[in-house]
Amino acid sequence: MTNVRVAVDVGGTFTDVCIFDETTRTMRVTKVPSTPADPMVAVMNGVERAEIDLADVSLFSHGTTVATNALITRNFPAAAMVTTRGFRDVIEIRDGTKDDLWDAYNDVSGPYIRRRDRFEVTERVDFEGKVIAPLDEEEARTLARLLRRRGATTVAVCFLNSYANPANEIRMREILEEELPEATVSTSAEILPEMFEHDRFNTAVSNAVLAPLVTGYVDRLSEQLAEGGYDGDLLLLHSGGGSMTPRMVRKYPVRLAASGIAAGAIAAKHIAQQCGYDNAVGLDMGGTSTDIALVSGGELRVTKEWQVEYGHPIVFPSIEVLTIGAGGGSLAHIDIAGSLRNGPQSAGADPGPACYGTGGEQPTNCDANVLLNRLGTTLAGGAKTLDRELSRQAVRSVIAEPLGMAEEDAAHAILAVANANMADAVRLISIRRGYDPRDFALIAFGGAGALHGAEVARELNIPTVVVPPSPGVTSALGCLLVDIRHDLSTMYTAMAADADPDDLETSFRALEGEARARLRHEGVAEEDTVLARLISMRYHGQWRSLAVPMGSGPGALETAIETFHEQHEREFAFRQDEQPVEIYQLQLTAVGKTPKPSFRPAVELVQEPGDPASHRPVYFGEAGWVETPVYDRALLPAGATFAGPAIVEQLDSTTVVPPGTVAEIDEWLNIRIHLNTRTREA
């Protein structure tokens, strides 16, 4: 009888495994070192270390960085692009912007497919979908044979205005499949049926270059799990906050380009709701980077404007997550102006921080925490042994001596810079969006999040920090909390005042038909299907649009228009009710509900935390070295309350409770750290 659910999240340093027993409603976790050369090795190592019998597993969910790493490293198979004559360089010209407009030497990286691998054919469709020039099939077939000789294994077909009429793209795909039967073909209208050719072309190109890599990885992992006894579908977390089966991954691999970072955001939302917070900031600090997500009114922010590398947009709905180079392995260094910096460079898993004793010589956040005794001498339940003397040597030689500082002051400064970087990132995703961080709770997790969470919250005047029961594997928990999800869209340009409600209804029903077909293909029952309509609108003459919920029946459009005005005021601080509103696009979110773990809260609350496991001196800045109790988190009962300073240790993370704060263990076994924040101004 299958009664176990397993989730695996692959990070840059560690691979986290979360196992939920449906019978006892209990969870256990484990961590293993990641294997960048082949992430599947770490996944299977985690299964073995957790002693999981795959025959007992009812659901196996996976957040993967395979697609993200492939786009970063550009380790692509032989790929080609076929486009309308005269538009070969759309993905190179882009939109003309730069990440840093004032740096003349900082160029945007080149396209994922080189110019010599981009080819043109004769065809043309106008903006209304009228075929001006049909595809020249003889020319197309000649090109297909050329690609076969060149060994192309994946092809992106990107024709102008194909979103309005995909006939020429479909015919080109058919010819390519006849001549290159082993190749994968991605058409832009099928991947993203939207205008703006640069966005559509680049999304299709990203899909094409990822297809062989992602599909190969997913197929190999599925086979390994099946050989071990698992007889269900491997569920892959995608950027939109849902999951996909391998069948849909083969068609839309680009949706996995932000797979790993979405899991933590989903878990942060779950924990915030569990604790009664409608507003929360998720701070997922791992070994290499920190991912920050915003939950407002109980919902995660979603964006369609994102990229792994600047200038290469991927236009699929994605949970809005801001990633910065601040992790446990981020390197501290002195810049050419003599200022202390932290990250974005990282020691990674190899050689790792200096305290690992594997060749690292640059000080990291991990080394600073070890030197200050905030972090003990082991990680991941003894999988890593940390050498405090090596941390001291690295901090002394690289930071303390050049700046004329004491070693502990230098280490504290390293952490202060890291905390300031993370606080600035939170401001970008909150204050810049019109949200006040003082109205939010901070959900701190990841391997290093609990070490830094209270200090980051203090920088932002956030009153409460929540550290989940297993912070180091919380992202893996997020993989257990997602449903199967697809996001569909179609262009629909019309003035809202003149739109025909019956025509809108017909268009939405067409999207719903396709959505139901996809979910049926993935084995989702009709009763588990949930469809939500969205309509993108803008003020007439604007370029950017906002998507708002769209109902059905009489008055649905009028309600959506009013919601648009309200949302526009929230996002951009103004509304123009007298300005005509234009419909830009129709969107549909299709969700296939999957069973969720049901956790059991504690019934009895015990206020006393019990005796600490040990004491040790810990450095806290102005307070200096303070003799600090160290608690074993597994022994802290629900209801326990204690004042800082304190250290709470566990298998997957360490929590720092600074002086001047109070910690409590709630009924869900979260640690809630309450800070003495300044009174908010009226």
Side-chain angles (χ1 to χ4, degrees):
M1 179 177 170
T2 56
N3 61 354
V4 175
R5 299 179 196 172
V6 177
V8 180
D9 180 61
V10 177
T13 307
F14 285 103
T15 291
D16 305 331
V17 183
C18 179
I19 308 101
F20 181 79
D21 190 309
E22 298 173 7
T23 303
T24 61
R25 289 201 289 171
T26 57
M27 187 175 72
R28 57 190 179 93
V29 300
T30 192
K31 297 171 78 75
V32 295
S34 293
T35 51
D38 186 356
M40 189 183 74
V41 174
V43 173
M44 300 311 296
N45 286 345
V47 169
E48 182 179 353
R49 179 166 182 176
E51 298 181 349
I52 298 169
D53 185 346
L54 290 171
D56 292 337
V57 176
S58 61
L59 183 146
F60 197 106
S61 184
H62 180 30
T64 175
T65 55
V66 169
T68 311
N69 293 340
L71 292 177
I72 292 172
T73 62
R74 296 182 174 235
N75 185 21
F76 300 139
M81 173 182 173
V82 179
T83 189
T84 305
R85 188 164 300 284
F87 291 87
R88 178 186 185 186
D89 295 318
V90 164
I91 61 174
E92 190 141 12
I93 297 171
R94 300 177 296 99
D95 56 7
T97 63
K98 295 177 64 175
D99 194 18
D100 187 347
L101 291 173
W102 308 111
D103 188 344
Y105 299 98
N106 184 17
D107 293 328
V108 176
S109 59
Y112 294 139
I113 295 180
R114 299 168 297 183
R115 194 171 194 272
R116 67 187 184 189
D117 295 320
R118 305 196 297 263
F119 302 90
E120 300 175 344
V121 293
T122 301
E123 71 83 36
R124 196 60 181 266
V125 173
D126 70 9
F127 72 99
E128 293 180 316
K130 180 182 177 182
V131 178
I132 298 174
L135 176 68
D136 186 325
E137 295 200 12
E138 183 177 347
E139 186 179 321
R141 199 167 292 278
T142 300
L143 173 58
R145 290 167 180 162
L146 172 64
L147 294 178
R148 183 177 61 195
R149 292 195 300 272
R150 292 182 60 156
T153 59
T154 182
V155 184
V157 181
C158 305
F159 288 170
L160 198 68
N161 296 324
S162 60
Y163 69 91
N165 183 350
N168 285 350
E169 272 196 357
I170 291 171
R171 183 58 189 143
M172 184 73 229
R173 185 193 68 200
E174 292 171 348
I175 292 172
L176 287 168
E177 288 174 343
E178 291 170 8
E179 299 292 340
L180 291 82
E182 302 300 321
T184 302
V185 181
S186 300
T187 63
S188 71
E190 184 179 29
I191 302 301
L192 188 74
E194 299 181 13
M195 63 171 64
F196 297 123
E197 57 270 14
H198 172 237
D199 291 350
R200 177 162 47 88
F201 285 14
N202 200 83
T203 303
V205 164
S206 301
N207 197 79
V209 297
L210 290 175
L213 297 171
V214 172
T215 300
Y217 171 77
V218 170
D219 287 347
R220 286 191 302 117
L221 181 55
S222 296
E223 290 171 5
Q224 285 275 323
L225 295 175
E227 289 174 5
Y230 178 59
D231 62 356
D233 267 330
L234 169 65
L235 294 183
L236 284 301
L237 186 71
H238 65 64
S239 59
S243 59
M244 304 165 68
T245 63
R247 289 184 291 276
M248 295 309 294
V249 169
R250 293 183 191 103
K251 192 172 184 180
Y252 301 105
V254 70
R255 296 226 63 184
L256 299 185
S259 170
I261 62 175
I266 294 164
K269 173 186 171 182
H270 166 77
I271 293 162
Q273 290 177 334
Q274 190 182 67
C275 295
Y277 298 111
D278 286 335
N279 299 330
V281 174
L283 184 82
D284 180 3
M285 184 179 183
T288 306
S289 61
T290 295
D291 300 322
I292 299 167
L294 189 81
V295 180
S296 174
E299 296 297 329
L300 288 160
R301 285 182 57 89
V302 175
T303 181
K304 288 188 71 176
E305 300 176 10
W306 62 284
Q307 58 267 316
V308 174
E309 285 186 279
Y310 186 86
H312 307 289
I314 297 174
V315 189
F316 269 118
S318 174
I319 293 174
E320 186 176 42
V321 177
L322 179 60
T323 301
I324 64 170
S330 294
L331 298 173
H333 59 281
I334 299 173
D335 65 16
I336 57 174
S339 298
L340 175 61
R341 301 290 181 184
N342 193 301
Q345 300 85 0
S346 174
D350 184 17
C355 58
Y356 279 19
T358 52
E361 297 180 351
Q362 295 286 108
T364 65
N365 291 328
C366 178
D367 291 304
N369 279 305
V370 169
L371 191 154
L372 300 180
N373 256 353
R374 299 184 178 197
L375 197 58
T377 55
T378 60
L379 285 180
K384 287 283 186 184
T385 299
L386 309 181
D387 189 324
R388 190 162 179 252
E389 186 55 37
L390 291 177
S391 292
R392 185 185 301 279
Q393 292 173 12
V395 171
R396 181 197 307 128
S397 61
V398 178
I399 305 297
E401 290 181 350
L403 294 179
M405 302 174 70
E407 293 166 357
E408 57 266 32
D409 290 332
H412 189 263
I414 290 171
L415 299 183
V417 173
N419 294 335
N421 290 342
M422 288 184 279
D424 284 344
V426 173
R427 293 185 183 100
L428 284 176
I429 206 169
S430 58
I431 296 174
R432 191 176 181 180
R433 300 280 191 261
Y435 300 98
D436 189 336
R438 294 174 293 183
D439 296 331
F440 288 69
L442 186 73
I443 315 297
F445 57 100
L451 279 164
H452 294 254
E455 297 296 344
V456 173
R458 185 169 280 163
E459 286 261 349
L460 296 160
N461 225 18
I462 290 175
T464 303
V465 177
V466 179
V467 180
S470 300
V473 297
T474 297
S475 290
L477 170 64
C479 295
L480 288 179
L481 301 171
V482 298
D483 296 307
I484 294 174
R485 170 173 168 156
H486 296 286
D487 299 280
L488 296 84
S489 64
T490 185
M491 299 306 302
Y492 190 102
T493 53
M495 300 307 297
D498 302 328
D500 181 353
D502 292 335
D503 188 43
L504 277 172
E505 182 67 20
T506 300
S507 298
F508 270 120
R509 287 188 181 277
L511 287 177
E512 289 172 348
E514 182 181 349
R516 285 192 169 92
R518 288 192 189 184
L519 292 175
R520 280 196 303 270
H521 184 64
E522 297 197 280
V524 176
E526 183 66 28
E527 60 268 22
D528 293 327
T529 297
V530 178
L531 305 178
R533 298 176 176 183
L534 296 168
I535 184 168
S536 288
M537 294 186 284
R538 57 193 179 187
Y539 290 123
H540 185 55
Q542 282 187 332
W543 176 35
R544 298 293 183 189
S545 61
L546 284 175
V548 298
M550 175 71 177
S552 59
L557 182 57
E558 289 74 15
T559 301
I561 293 171
E562 178 57 30
T563 304
F564 165 76
H565 288 305
E566 295 171 357
Q567 183 67 17
H568 197 281
E569 185 176 25
R570 176 60 183 267
E571 291 281 333
F572 305 111
F574 75 96
R575 59 187 288 169
Q576 296 179 314
D577 293 62
E578 71 286 352
Q579 181 76 5
V581 175
E582 181 182 16
I583 300 172
Y584 167 71
Q585 186 184 63
L586 309 182
Q587 301 175 25
L588 185 78
T589 299
V591 173
K593 291 290 184 180
T594 59
K596 306 294 187 303
S598 176
F599 297 97
R600 181 178 294 161
V603 177
E604 296 183 7
L605 303 182
V606 179
Q607 190 171 4
E608 290 299 322
D611 294 331
S614 63
H615 288 77
R616 66 175 181 244
V618 180
Y619 191 80
F620 287 104
E622 292 181 359
W625 290 97
V626 180
E627 192 68 16
T628 302
V630 179
Y631 292 97
D632 181 346
R633 184 162 186 180
L635 301 179
L636 287 173
T641 302
F642 52 94
I647 301 293
V648 182
E649 294 185 333
Q650 61 190 104
L651 167 73
D652 57 319
S653 188
T654 297
T655 302
V656 173
V657 183
T661 65
V662 175
E664 64 169 321
I665 311 299
D666 67 16
E667 67 271 29
W668 303 102
L669 299 181
N670 300 301
I671 301 176
R672 301 197 199 190
I673 304 173
H674 302 287
L675 287 78
N676 295 323
T677 56
R678 294 187 297 274
T679 302
R680 182 172 176 175
E681 297 178 3

